[in-house]
Amino acid sequence: MTLASFLPLAIELGPQGFWWMNVLFLVAIYSLLGLSLNLINGYARMFSLGHHGFWAMGAYGAAWFTIQFHGHMPGVPLFLMSCVFAMGVAAVGGLLIGLPCLRLRGDYLAIATLGFGEIVRIAIQNSPREALGGSLGLEVPRVIMDVTRKTKADFRVLMVAIGFVLVALTAWAIRNYIRSARGRAMLAVAQDETAAGLLGINPVRSKVLAFVAASAVAGLAGAVYAHYQGIITPLEFNFMEMVKIFLIVVLGGLGSISGCVFAAFLLIFVEQWLAKLPADAGFFKDWWQVEYAAILVLLMIFRPRGIFGPREITDVWRDLKAKWAKKRSAA
Amino acid sequence: MSDVLFSTHAVTKRYGGLTAVSKVSLELHPGELVGLIGPNGAGKTTLFNLITGADTVSEGTVTFRGEDVTELKDYERAGLGMARTFQNIRLWPDMSALDNVQTVYQGPRGNNGFGAILRLPGFKRSERRIRDDSMKLLERMDLAEHADMRSVDLPYGEQRKLEICRALALEPKLLLLDEPAAGMNPTEKTDLMHTVEQLRQEFDLTILVIEHDMKFVMGICERIYVLDHGEEIAHGKPDEIKQDPKVIEAYLGGAE
Ligand SMILES: Nc1ncnc2c1ncn2[C@@H]1O[C@H](COP(=O)(O)OP(=O)(O)OP(=O)(O)O)[C@@H](O)[C@H]1O
Ligand SMILES: [Mg+2]
């Protein structure tokens, strides 16, 4: 009898449950990516198109670390340390690209980060087979299995739980950061950089901090993703992923935490549901990538501030309740 | 004469072929309230930009608290105790009035990111102090009732006052006001005039103010510098300035 058999982690999954766990895990990963990109593109109002690069750096960082120390260390600490290592790798990447680029104006930053994301992927693709696996990808030792074997927890359920704990922690950390002196400085630089500088705020420092923190979270998402997938290939981290993350941020509302998670769920659910359809399912399946772009264009036209705007779901809910209450009292 | 808090030495700014500021030298002593006037396009705002580091000088030097600050960045000069307001209001629009003030307090007694994320006791203490001090400033400028309003939603005159409030949050030695009364009605203007004079005492400030309203400038400034076409054409006590033929010429010439 183990402790975990009391936890809901040890449930038995049918194929339907499998599918759902996969969807939920991806929702957690894309929420992490969305939340962190939201810090850059939403709160700090910069324009980065290289987030998939930091995600890839985290995934490969964790994979590399795990391979190096597999067998020398028990599974749990190895898992944790690989996550920390991945965050470090992505953060250093963020610093190296951020320091020169964040002095640039918005559109230059977009181009520079776009180039960065592609360079990361192409560099991995062309890496020697024994270093990062080249285009064939890298196999990640399943260290988390050490835990599931002992506790009988289902691997996917455990990963979903880890994923959402990280989403909650990240959301909490971002919210706390925004409501602090450093966070206010970041918002000030976003809203009027000149005024911020003249009132004693170092704009470059403020931007670099946001950029590095966001890169680290993307790296963390990459690490957990790598451990879940068991094998990662460079092609997974292509520019289409960047479009997806960006769409999640815009859909959820630049600067809205709950909106971001909600948008991640919507997008991943639809995507995975379409993937389940038979190959000849027609228009919706075949044209999905075009539809991403179309959604983005429509959003920009009709709801340029996202579905909820910068508000949280709780705010929207409160407003709706107030509206209903008014209607009822009027009737 | 007593020590000099702030001075410029022959600062010049050229934009292509246009010389917006030409060899201007100012000197301010601690506690002074000095006016900077001149017709439209005289180069007053440009001079403020050179003083605060919003723009770089073409020639000349700027000295503040005995230090040559010509090469310093804007935020570094601000850190030494130099704060300004803007002719075209530049509040942070989506922030509340209170947050506009709180944001500026971050420099002198900043709390770091880790403390903020983990909500450590030191962080909470620091935030409480920032909040209390900011509220006090808002109360001082009669803005407390608007504390939670978005700054863009404030009436125009209140926005101007909030800019002063925000500048005071930097705890400056030198305060530079660029047309603080622009767009205000006569009563508001008179109120602001007295407020500026009082703030100097309360916060131990040295003030340099650009203002087109002559009643305002003549009413509170001890000395006045006059710019025209980027050059300093006169300098002296309000009464002297009023009678200076060059000043009269500059203003009448501009009206033609
Ligand atoms: N960034 C710039 N680039 C080019 N020319 C500029 C720039 N800033 C100011 N100027 C020019 O410099 C001159 C002085 O402008 P400035 O804004 O300093 O005048 P001012 O005395 O503040 O006038 P006002 O009373 O209208 O505010 C003007 O001719 C203006 O067009
Ligand atoms: Mg001006």
CSV table of all heavy atoms in Angstrom, one decimal, chain A residues 45 172-173 175-177 179-182 184-185 187-189 191-192 194-203 305, chain B residues 52 54 74-75 78 84 86 90 92-95 99 102-104 106 111-113 116-117 119 123 127 130 166 170:
chain,number,residue,atom,x,y,z
A,45,ARG,N,4.8,45.0,-23.3
A,45,ARG,CA,4.4,45.5,-24.6
A,45,ARG,C,5.7,45.6,-25.6
A,45,ARG,O,5.9,46.5,-26.3
A,45,ARG,CB,3.8,46.9,-24.5
A,45,ARG,CG,2.5,46.9,-23.7
A,45,ARG,CD,1.8,48.2,-23.9
A,45,ARG,NE,0.7,48.3,-22.9
A,45,ARG,CZ,-0.1,49.3,-22.6
A,45,ARG,NH1,0.2,50.5,-23.3
A,45,ARG,NH2,-1.0,49.3,-21.7
A,172,TRP,N,0.8,32.8,-10.3
A,172,TRP,CA,0.9,33.4,-9.0
A,172,TRP,C,2.2,34.4,-9.0
A,172,TRP,O,2.1,35.5,-8.6
A,172,TRP,CB,1.0,32.4,-7.9
A,172,TRP,CG,1.1,32.9,-6.5
A,172,TRP,CD1,0.1,33.4,-5.8
A,172,TRP,CD2,2.3,32.8,-5.7
A,172,TRP,NE1,0.6,33.7,-4.6
A,172,TRP,CE2,1.9,33.3,-4.5
A,172,TRP,CE3,3.6,32.3,-5.9
A,172,TRP,CZ2,2.8,33.4,-3.4
A,172,TRP,CZ3,4.5,32.4,-4.8
A,172,TRP,CH2,4.1,32.9,-3.6
A,173,ALA,N,3.3,33.8,-9.5
A,173,ALA,CA,4.5,34.6,-9.5
A,173,ALA,C,4.4,35.9,-10.4
A,173,ALA,O,4.8,37.0,-10.0
A,173,ALA,CB,5.7,33.8,-10.0
A,175,ARG,N,1.6,37.4,-11.2
A,175,ARG,CA,0.7,38.4,-10.6
A,175,ARG,C,1.4,39.1,-9.5
A,175,ARG,O,1.3,40.4,-9.3
A,175,ARG,CB,-0.5,37.6,-10.0
A,175,ARG,CG,-1.6,38.4,-9.5
A,175,ARG,CD,-2.8,37.5,-9.2
A,175,ARG,NE,-3.7,38.2,-8.2
A,175,ARG,CZ,-3.5,38.2,-6.9
A,175,ARG,NH1,-2.4,37.5,-6.4
A,175,ARG,NH2,-4.3,38.8,-6.1
A,176,ASN,N,2.2,38.4,-8.7
A,176,ASN,CA,2.9,39.1,-7.6
A,176,ASN,C,3.9,40.1,-8.1
A,176,ASN,O,4.2,41.1,-7.6
A,176,ASN,CB,3.6,38.1,-6.7
A,176,ASN,CG,2.6,37.4,-5.8
A,176,ASN,OD1,1.4,37.8,-5.7
A,176,ASN,ND2,3.1,36.4,-5.0
A,177,TYR,N,4.6,39.7,-9.2
A,177,TYR,CA,5.6,40.5,-9.8
A,177,TYR,C,5.0,41.8,-10.3
A,177,TYR,O,5.5,42.9,-10.1
A,177,TYR,CB,6.3,39.8,-10.9
A,177,TYR,CG,7.5,40.5,-11.4
A,177,TYR,CD1,8.7,40.5,-10.7
A,177,TYR,CD2,7.5,41.2,-12.7
A,177,TYR,CE1,9.8,41.2,-11.2
A,177,TYR,CE2,8.6,41.9,-13.2
A,177,TYR,CZ,9.7,41.9,-12.4
A,177,TYR,OH,10.8,42.5,-12.9
A,179,ARG,N,2.4,43.3,-9.3
A,179,ARG,CA,2.0,44.2,-8.2
A,179,ARG,C,3.2,44.4,-7.3
A,179,ARG,O,3.1,44.2,-6.1
A,179,ARG,CB,0.9,43.5,-7.5
A,179,ARG,CG,-0.4,43.4,-8.3
A,179,ARG,CD,-1.5,42.7,-7.6
A,179,ARG,NE,-2.6,42.4,-8.5
A,179,ARG,CZ,-3.7,41.8,-8.1
A,179,ARG,NH1,-3.8,41.5,-6.9
A,179,ARG,NH2,-4.6,41.5,-9.0
A,180,SER,N,4.3,44.9,-7.8
A,180,SER,CA,5.4,45.2,-7.0
A,180,SER,C,6.1,46.4,-7.7
A,180,SER,O,5.8,46.8,-8.8
A,180,SER,CB,6.3,44.0,-6.9
A,180,SER,OG,7.1,43.9,-8.1
A,181,ALA,N,7.1,46.9,-7.0
A,181,ALA,CA,7.9,48.0,-7.6
A,181,ALA,C,8.5,47.7,-8.9
A,181,ALA,O,8.3,48.4,-9.9
A,181,ALA,CB,9.0,48.5,-6.6
A,182,ARG,N,9.1,46.5,-9.0
A,182,ARG,CA,9.7,46.1,-10.3
A,182,ARG,C,8.6,46.0,-11.4
A,182,ARG,O,8.8,46.3,-12.5
A,182,ARG,CB,10.4,44.7,-10.1
A,182,ARG,CG,11.7,44.8,-9.4
A,182,ARG,CD,12.8,45.3,-10.3
A,182,ARG,NE,13.9,45.7,-9.5
A,182,ARG,CZ,14.8,44.9,-9.0
A,182,ARG,NH1,14.7,43.6,-9.1
A,182,ARG,NH2,15.9,45.4,-8.3
A,184,ARG,N,5.7,47.5,-11.5
A,184,ARG,CA,5.2,48.8,-11.9
A,184,ARG,C,6.2,49.5,-12.9
A,184,ARG,O,5.8,50.1,-13.8
A,184,ARG,CB,4.9,49.7,-10.7
A,184,ARG,CG,3.7,49.3,-9.9
A,184,ARG,CD,3.3,50.3,-8.9
A,184,ARG,NE,4.4,50.4,-7.8
A,184,ARG,CZ,4.4,49.7,-6.7
A,184,ARG,NH1,3.4,48.9,-6.4
A,184,ARG,NH2,5.3,49.9,-5.8
A,185,ALA,N,7.4,49.3,-12.6
A,185,ALA,CA,8.5,49.9,-13.4
A,185,ALA,C,8.3,49.3,-14.8
A,185,ALA,O,8.4,50.0,-15.8
A,185,ALA,CB,9.9,49.6,-12.9
A,187,LEU,N,5.6,48.1,-16.3
A,187,LEU,CA,4.4,48.6,-16.9
A,187,LEU,C,4.7,50.1,-17.4
A,187,LEU,O,4.2,50.5,-18.4
A,187,LEU,CB,3.2,48.6,-16.0
A,187,LEU,CG,2.8,47.2,-15.5
A,187,LEU,CD1,1.6,47.3,-14.6
A,187,LEU,CD2,2.5,46.3,-16.7
A,188,ALA,N,5.4,50.8,-16.5
A,188,ALA,CA,5.7,52.2,-16.9
A,188,ALA,C,6.5,52.3,-18.2
A,188,ALA,O,6.2,53.1,-19.1
A,188,ALA,CB,6.4,52.9,-15.7
A,189,VAL,N,7.5,51.5,-18.2
A,189,VAL,CA,8.4,51.5,-19.5
A,189,VAL,C,7.5,51.1,-20.7
A,189,VAL,O,7.6,51.6,-21.7
A,189,VAL,CB,9.5,50.5,-19.3
A,189,VAL,CG1,10.3,50.3,-20.6
A,189,VAL,CG2,10.5,51.0,-18.2
A,191,GLN,N,4.3,51.7,-21.1
A,191,GLN,CA,3.3,52.7,-21.4
A,191,GLN,C,3.9,54.0,-21.9
A,191,GLN,O,3.3,54.7,-22.7
A,191,GLN,CB,2.4,52.9,-20.2
A,191,GLN,CG,1.6,51.7,-20.0
A,191,GLN,CD,0.6,51.8,-18.8
A,191,GLN,OE1,0.2,52.9,-18.5
A,191,GLN,NE2,0.2,50.7,-18.2
A,192,ASP,N,5.1,54.4,-21.4
A,192,ASP,CA,5.8,55.5,-21.8
A,192,ASP,C,7.2,55.4,-21.4
A,192,ASP,O,7.6,55.8,-20.3
A,192,ASP,CB,5.1,56.8,-21.3
A,192,ASP,CG,5.7,58.1,-22.0
A,192,ASP,OD1,6.9,58.0,-22.5
A,192,ASP,OD2,5.0,59.1,-22.1
A,194,THR,N,9.9,57.0,-22.4
A,194,THR,CA,10.6,58.3,-22.2
A,194,THR,C,10.4,58.8,-20.8
A,194,THR,O,11.3,59.2,-20.1
A,194,THR,CB,10.2,59.3,-23.3
A,194,THR,OG1,10.4,58.7,-24.5
A,194,THR,CG2,11.0,60.6,-23.1
A,195,ALA,N,9.1,58.8,-20.5
A,195,ALA,CA,8.7,59.3,-19.1
A,195,ALA,C,9.4,58.4,-18.1
A,195,ALA,O,9.9,58.9,-17.0
A,195,ALA,CB,7.2,59.3,-19.0
A,196,ALA,N,9.4,57.1,-18.3
A,196,ALA,CA,10.0,56.2,-17.3
A,196,ALA,C,11.4,56.6,-17.1
A,196,ALA,O,11.9,56.7,-15.9
A,196,ALA,CB,9.8,54.8,-17.7
A,197,GLY,N,12.2,56.7,-18.2
A,197,GLY,CA,13.6,57.0,-18.1
A,197,GLY,C,13.8,58.3,-17.3
A,197,GLY,O,14.7,58.4,-16.4
A,198,LEU,N,13.0,59.3,-17.6
A,198,LEU,CA,13.2,60.6,-17.0
A,198,LEU,C,12.8,60.7,-15.5
A,198,LEU,O,13.1,61.6,-14.8
A,198,LEU,CB,12.5,61.7,-17.8
A,198,LEU,CG,13.2,62.0,-19.1
A,198,LEU,CD1,12.2,62.7,-20.1
A,198,LEU,CD2,14.4,62.8,-18.9
A,199,LEU,N,12.0,59.6,-15.1
A,199,LEU,CA,11.6,59.6,-13.7
A,199,LEU,C,12.4,58.5,-13.0
A,199,LEU,O,11.9,57.9,-12.0
A,199,LEU,CB,10.1,59.4,-13.6
A,199,LEU,CG,9.4,60.8,-14.0
A,199,LEU,CD1,8.0,60.6,-14.5
A,199,LEU,CD2,9.5,61.7,-12.7
A,200,GLY,N,13.6,58.1,-13.5
A,200,GLY,CA,14.5,57.3,-12.7
A,200,GLY,C,14.5,55.8,-13.0
A,200,GLY,O,15.1,55.1,-12.3
A,201,ILE,N,13.7,55.4,-13.9
A,201,ILE,CA,13.6,53.9,-14.2
A,201,ILE,C,14.6,53.6,-15.4
A,201,ILE,O,14.5,54.3,-16.4
A,201,ILE,CB,12.2,53.5,-14.6
A,201,ILE,CG1,11.3,53.7,-13.4
A,201,ILE,CG2,12.2,52.1,-15.0
A,201,ILE,CD1,9.8,53.8,-13.7
A,202,ASN,N,15.4,52.6,-15.2
A,202,ASN,CA,16.3,52.2,-16.3
A,202,ASN,C,15.5,51.2,-17.2
A,202,ASN,O,15.2,50.1,-16.9
A,202,ASN,CB,17.5,51.4,-15.7
A,202,ASN,CG,18.4,50.9,-16.7
A,202,ASN,OD1,18.1,50.9,-17.9
A,202,ASN,ND2,19.6,50.5,-16.3
A,203,PRO,N,15.1,51.8,-18.4
A,203,PRO,CA,14.2,51.0,-19.2
A,203,PRO,C,14.8,49.7,-19.7
A,203,PRO,O,14.1,48.6,-19.8
A,203,PRO,CB,14.0,51.9,-20.4
A,203,PRO,CG,14.4,53.3,-20.0
A,203,PRO,CD,15.4,53.1,-19.0
A,305,ARG,N,-8.0,43.6,-28.4
A,305,ARG,CA,-7.4,43.4,-27.0
A,305,ARG,C,-7.7,42.0,-26.5
A,305,ARG,O,-7.7,41.8,-25.3
A,305,ARG,CB,-7.9,44.5,-26.1
A,305,ARG,CG,-7.7,45.9,-26.7
A,305,ARG,CD,-7.8,46.9,-25.6
A,305,ARG,NE,-6.6,46.9,-24.8
A,305,ARG,CZ,-6.4,47.8,-23.8
A,305,ARG,NH1,-7.3,48.7,-23.6
A,305,ARG,NH2,-5.3,47.7,-23.0
B,52,THR,N,17.8,67.4,-18.6
B,52,THR,CA,17.4,66.1,-18.0
B,52,THR,C,17.9,64.9,-18.7
B,52,THR,O,17.8,63.8,-18.2
B,52,THR,CB,15.8,66.0,-18.0
B,52,THR,OG1,15.4,66.2,-19.4
B,52,THR,CG2,15.2,67.0,-17.1
B,54,ALA,N,17.0,63.9,-21.7
B,54,ALA,CA,16.0,63.3,-22.7
B,54,ALA,C,16.6,63.4,-24.1
B,54,ALA,O,16.3,62.7,-25.0
B,54,ALA,CB,14.7,64.1,-22.6
B,74,ASP,N,19.4,59.6,-18.8
B,74,ASP,CA,18.3,60.3,-18.1
B,74,ASP,C,18.0,59.7,-16.7
B,74,ASP,O,17.8,60.5,-15.8
B,74,ASP,CB,17.0,60.3,-19.0
B,74,ASP,CG,16.7,58.9,-19.5
B,74,ASP,OD1,17.4,57.9,-19.2
B,74,ASP,OD2,15.7,58.8,-20.3
B,75,TYR,N,17.9,58.4,-16.6
B,75,TYR,CA,17.5,57.8,-15.3
B,75,TYR,C,18.6,58.0,-14.3
B,75,TYR,O,18.3,58.1,-13.1
B,75,TYR,CB,17.1,56.3,-15.5
B,75,TYR,CG,18.2,55.4,-16.0
B,75,TYR,CD1,19.1,54.8,-15.1
B,75,TYR,CD2,18.3,55.2,-17.3
B,75,TYR,CE1,20.1,54.0,-15.6
B,75,TYR,CE2,19.3,54.4,-17.8
B,75,TYR,CZ,20.2,53.8,-17.0
B,75,TYR,OH,21.2,53.0,-17.4
B,78,ALA,N,18.1,61.5,-13.1
B,78,ALA,CA,16.9,61.5,-12.2
B,78,ALA,C,17.3,60.9,-10.8
B,78,ALA,O,16.9,61.5,-9.8
B,78,ALA,CB,15.8,60.7,-12.8
B,84,ARG,N,11.1,66.1,-13.6
B,84,ARG,CA,10.5,67.0,-14.4
B,84,ARG,C,9.0,66.7,-14.7
B,84,ARG,O,8.6,65.5,-14.5
B,84,ARG,CB,11.2,67.1,-15.8
B,84,ARG,CG,11.1,65.9,-16.6
B,84,ARG,CD,11.7,66.1,-18.0
B,84,ARG,NE,10.9,67.0,-18.9
B,84,ARG,CZ,11.3,67.3,-20.1
B,84,ARG,NH1,12.4,66.8,-20.6
B,84,ARG,NH2,10.5,68.0,-20.9
B,86,PHE,N,6.0,67.4,-18.0
B,86,PHE,CA,6.0,67.5,-19.5
B,86,PHE,C,5.0,68.5,-20.0
B,86,PHE,O,3.9,68.5,-19.5
B,86,PHE,CB,5.9,66.1,-20.1
B,86,PHE,CG,6.9,65.1,-19.7
B,86,PHE,CD1,6.7,64.3,-18.6
B,86,PHE,CD2,8.1,65.0,-20.4
B,86,PHE,CE1,7.7,63.5,-18.2
B,86,PHE,CE2,9.1,64.1,-20.0
B,86,PHE,CZ,8.9,63.4,-18.9
B,90,ARG,N,2.7,63.4,-20.0
B,90,ARG,CA,3.2,62.0,-20.3
B,90,ARG,C,3.0,61.2,-19.0
B,90,ARG,O,4.0,60.5,-18.6
B,90,ARG,CB,4.7,62.1,-20.6
B,90,ARG,CG,5.0,62.8,-21.9
B,90,ARG,CD,6.3,62.6,-22.3
B,90,ARG,NE,6.4,61.3,-23.1
B,90,ARG,CZ,7.1,61.2,-24.2
B,90,ARG,NH1,7.8,62.2,-24.7
B,90,ARG,NH2,7.1,60.0,-24.8
B,92,TRP,N,1.6,57.7,-17.2
B,92,TRP,CA,1.4,56.4,-17.7
B,92,TRP,C,-0.1,56.1,-17.7
B,92,TRP,O,-0.7,56.0,-16.7
B,92,TRP,CB,2.1,55.4,-16.8
B,92,TRP,CG,3.6,55.6,-16.9
B,92,TRP,CD1,4.4,55.6,-18.0
B,92,TRP,CD2,4.5,56.0,-15.8
B,92,TRP,NE1,5.7,55.9,-17.7
B,92,TRP,CE2,5.8,56.2,-16.4
B,92,TRP,CE3,4.3,56.2,-14.5
B,92,TRP,CZ2,6.9,56.6,-15.6
B,92,TRP,CZ3,5.4,56.6,-13.7
B,92,TRP,CH2,6.7,56.8,-14.3
B,93,PRO,N,-0.7,56.1,-19.0
B,93,PRO,CA,-2.1,56.3,-19.1
B,93,PRO,C,-3.0,55.2,-18.5
B,93,PRO,O,-4.0,55.5,-17.9
B,93,PRO,CB,-2.3,56.3,-20.6
B,93,PRO,CG,-1.1,55.7,-21.2
B,93,PRO,CD,0.0,56.0,-20.3
B,94,ASP,N,-2.5,53.9,-18.6
B,94,ASP,CA,-3.4,52.8,-18.1
B,94,ASP,C,-3.2,52.5,-16.6
B,94,ASP,O,-3.8,51.6,-16.1
B,94,ASP,CB,-3.1,51.6,-18.9
B,94,ASP,CG,-3.6,51.7,-20.3
B,94,ASP,OD1,-4.4,52.6,-20.6
B,94,ASP,OD2,-3.0,51.0,-21.2
B,95,MET,N,-2.3,53.3,-16.0
B,95,MET,CA,-2.1,53.1,-14.5
B,95,MET,C,-3.0,54.0,-13.8
B,95,MET,O,-3.3,55.1,-14.2
B,95,MET,CB,-0.7,53.4,-14.2
B,95,MET,CG,0.3,52.4,-14.5
B,95,MET,SD,1.8,52.8,-13.7
B,95,MET,CE,2.9,51.9,-14.7
B,99,ASP,N,-0.8,54.5,-8.8
B,99,ASP,CA,0.3,53.8,-9.3
B,99,ASP,C,1.3,54.6,-10.1
B,99,ASP,O,2.5,54.4,-10.1
B,99,ASP,CB,-0.3,52.7,-10.3
B,99,ASP,CG,-0.6,51.4,-9.5
B,99,ASP,OD1,-0.2,51.3,-8.3
B,99,ASP,OD2,-1.2,50.5,-10.0
B,102,GLN,N,3.3,55.8,-7.2
B,102,GLN,CA,4.0,54.6,-6.6
B,102,GLN,C,5.2,54.2,-7.4
B,102,GLN,O,6.2,53.8,-6.9
B,102,GLN,CB,3.1,53.5,-6.3
B,102,GLN,CG,2.0,53.7,-5.3
B,102,GLN,CD,1.4,52.4,-4.7
B,102,GLN,OE1,1.6,52.1,-3.6
B,102,GLN,NE2,0.7,51.7,-5.6
B,103,THR,N,5.0,54.2,-8.7
B,103,THR,CA,6.0,53.7,-9.6
B,103,THR,C,7.3,54.4,-9.5
B,103,THR,O,8.4,53.9,-9.6
B,103,THR,CB,5.5,53.8,-11.1
B,103,THR,OG1,4.3,53.0,-11.2
B,103,THR,CG2,6.5,53.3,-12.1
B,104,VAL,N,7.2,55.7,-9.3
B,104,VAL,CA,8.4,56.6,-9.2
B,104,VAL,C,9.1,56.3,-7.9
B,104,VAL,O,10.4,56.4,-7.8
B,104,VAL,CB,8.1,58.0,-9.4
B,104,VAL,CG1,9.3,58.9,-9.3
B,104,VAL,CG2,7.4,58.2,-10.7
B,106,GLN,N,9.8,53.6,-6.7
B,106,GLN,CA,10.6,52.4,-6.7
B,106,GLN,C,12.1,52.6,-6.7
B,106,GLN,O,12.8,51.9,-6.1
B,106,GLN,CB,10.2,51.6,-7.9
B,106,GLN,CG,10.5,52.2,-9.3
B,106,GLN,CD,11.8,51.6,-9.8
B,106,GLN,OE1,12.1,50.5,-9.6
B,106,GLN,NE2,12.5,52.5,-10.5
B,111,ASN,N,12.3,47.4,-4.0
B,111,ASN,CA,12.2,46.1,-3.4
B,111,ASN,C,12.4,45.1,-4.6
B,111,ASN,O,11.9,45.4,-5.7
B,111,ASN,CB,10.9,45.9,-2.7
B,111,ASN,CG,9.7,46.4,-3.5
B,111,ASN,OD1,9.8,46.5,-4.7
B,111,ASN,ND2,8.7,46.8,-2.9
B,112,ASN,N,13.1,44.0,-4.4
B,112,ASN,CA,13.5,43.2,-5.5
B,112,ASN,C,12.5,42.2,-6.0
B,112,ASN,O,11.4,42.0,-5.3
B,112,ASN,CB,14.8,42.5,-5.2
B,112,ASN,CG,14.7,41.6,-4.1
B,112,ASN,OD1,13.7,40.9,-4.0
B,112,ASN,ND2,15.7,41.6,-3.2
B,113,GLY,N,12.7,41.6,-7.1
B,113,GLY,CA,11.8,40.7,-7.7
B,113,GLY,C,11.4,39.5,-6.9
B,113,GLY,O,10.3,39.1,-6.8
B,116,ALA,N,9.2,40.2,-4.1
B,116,ALA,CA,7.9,40.5,-4.6
B,116,ALA,C,7.1,39.2,-4.9
B,116,ALA,O,6.0,39.0,-4.5
B,116,ALA,CB,8.0,41.3,-5.8
B,117,ILE,N,7.8,38.3,-5.6
B,117,ILE,CA,7.2,37.0,-5.9
B,117,ILE,C,6.8,36.2,-4.7
B,117,ILE,O,5.7,35.7,-4.6
B,117,ILE,CB,8.1,36.2,-6.9
B,117,ILE,CG1,8.1,36.9,-8.3
B,117,ILE,CG2,7.5,34.8,-7.1
B,117,ILE,CD1,9.1,36.4,-9.2
B,119,ARG,N,6.4,37.4,-1.7
B,119,ARG,CA,5.7,38.2,-0.8
B,119,ARG,C,6.4,38.2,0.6
B,119,ARG,O,5.8,37.9,1.6
B,119,ARG,CB,4.3,37.9,-0.6
B,119,ARG,CG,3.5,37.9,-1.9
B,119,ARG,CD,2.9,39.3,-2.1
B,119,ARG,NE,3.3,39.8,-3.5
B,119,ARG,CZ,2.7,40.9,-4.1
B,119,ARG,NH1,1.8,41.6,-3.4
B,119,ARG,NH2,3.1,41.3,-5.2
B,123,PHE,N,9.5,42.9,1.7
B,123,PHE,CA,8.8,43.5,0.6
B,123,PHE,C,7.5,44.1,1.0
B,123,PHE,O,7.2,45.2,0.5
B,123,PHE,CB,8.5,42.3,-0.4
B,123,PHE,CG,7.5,42.7,-1.5
B,123,PHE,CD1,7.8,43.5,-2.6
B,123,PHE,CD2,6.2,42.3,-1.3
B,123,PHE,CE1,6.9,43.8,-3.5
B,123,PHE,CE2,5.2,42.6,-2.3
B,123,PHE,CZ,5.6,43.4,-3.4
B,127,GLU,N,6.4,48.0,0.4
B,127,GLU,CA,5.3,48.4,-0.4
B,127,GLU,C,4.3,49.2,0.4
B,127,GLU,O,3.7,50.2,-0.1
B,127,GLU,CB,4.5,47.1,-0.9
B,127,GLU,CG,5.2,46.4,-2.0
B,127,GLU,CD,5.0,47.1,-3.4
B,127,GLU,OE1,3.8,47.3,-3.8
B,127,GLU,OE2,6.0,47.5,-4.0
B,130,ILE,N,5.7,52.7,0.5
B,130,ILE,CA,5.6,53.4,-0.8
B,130,ILE,C,4.1,53.8,-1.0
B,130,ILE,O,3.9,55.0,-1.4
B,130,ILE,CB,5.9,52.4,-2.0
B,130,ILE,CG1,7.4,52.1,-2.0
B,130,ILE,CG2,5.5,52.9,-3.3
B,130,ILE,CD1,7.9,51.1,-3.0
B,166,ARG,N,3.9,63.1,-9.3
B,166,ARG,CA,4.7,62.0,-9.7
B,166,ARG,C,6.2,62.4,-9.6
B,166,ARG,O,7.1,61.7,-9.2
B,166,ARG,CB,4.3,61.6,-11.1
B,166,ARG,CG,5.1,60.4,-11.6
B,166,ARG,CD,4.7,60.0,-13.0
B,166,ARG,NE,5.0,61.0,-14.0
B,166,ARG,CZ,4.9,60.8,-15.3
B,166,ARG,NH1,4.5,59.6,-15.8
B,166,ARG,NH2,5.2,61.7,-16.2
B,170,LEU,N,10.0,61.3,-6.7
B,170,LEU,CA,11.4,61.1,-6.9
B,170,LEU,C,12.2,61.7,-5.8
B,170,LEU,O,13.4,61.4,-5.7
B,170,LEU,CB,11.8,61.6,-8.3
B,170,LEU,CG,13.1,61.1,-9.0
B,170,LEU,CD1,13.0,59.7,-9.3
B,170,LEU,CD2,13.4,62.0,-10.2
